[in-house]
Amino acid sequence: QVQLVESGGGLVQPGGSLRLSCAASGSIGSINVMGWYRQAPGKQRDLVATITSGGSINYADSVKGRFAISRDNAAMTVNLQMNNLKPEDTAVYYCSVLGVSGRSWGQGTQVTVSS
């Protein structure tokens, strides 16, 4: 069992920046992929970015060039630096990890981009 605790959401104006962080605990030895997903009201949950234990990164097309994912394998944390935020980035952002024991989700953190 893996527990995930997210932090860093909030309200920001268009063009602003936010940094999300997620700390994993529990059965972390089995974790391979760490990442972020988001879900806007009335929409499905979509991938934002993922990073493997070897450092391979995947971004959704909509965030390429604006968001940057990073992880600390020793501390078992994953971060998402979000720059040049747009109103369409407004969503609940979920940390997620995938390992031999399956997928785990965080509780979600709200990101609102509005003037």
Side-chain angles (χ1 to χ4, degrees):
Q1 192 80 1
V2 176
Q3 293 79 45
L4 302 171
V5 178
E6 300 136 332
S7 60
L11 172 65
V12 64
Q13 293 185 343
S17 298
L18 281 175
R19 182 176 176 86
L20 304 183
S21 296
C22 174
S25 61
S27 302
I28 60 176
S30 67
I31 293 174
N32 178 18
V33 184
M34 304 184 79
W36 292 91
Y37 292 73
R38 67 186 180 186
Q39 187 168 19
K43 296 188 177 181
Q44 66 181 21
R45 188 172 299 185
D46 292 326
L47 178 146
V48 176
T50 59
I51 182 168
T52 69
S53 56
S56 295
I57 291 174
N58 182 43
Y59 291 108
D61 287 342
S62 59
V63 307
K64 284 180 180 177
R66 301 188 298 122
F67 291 12
I69 190 170
S70 61
R71 75 186 266 176
D72 183 329
N73 287 328
M76 202 48 67
T77 57
V78 59
N79 302 304
L80 186 69
Q81 178 66 41
M82 306 185 293
N83 300 322
N84 190 22
L85 283 159
K86 304 176 180 181
E88 51 264 41
D89 295 317
T90 295
V92 178
Y93 284 69
Y94 295 91
C95 176
S96 181
V97 300
L98 182 64
V100 295
S101 59
R103 181 175 292 281
S104 298
W105 295 94
Q107 80 282 2
T109 185
Q110 178 70 46
V111 171
T112 302
V113 185
S114 176
S115 56

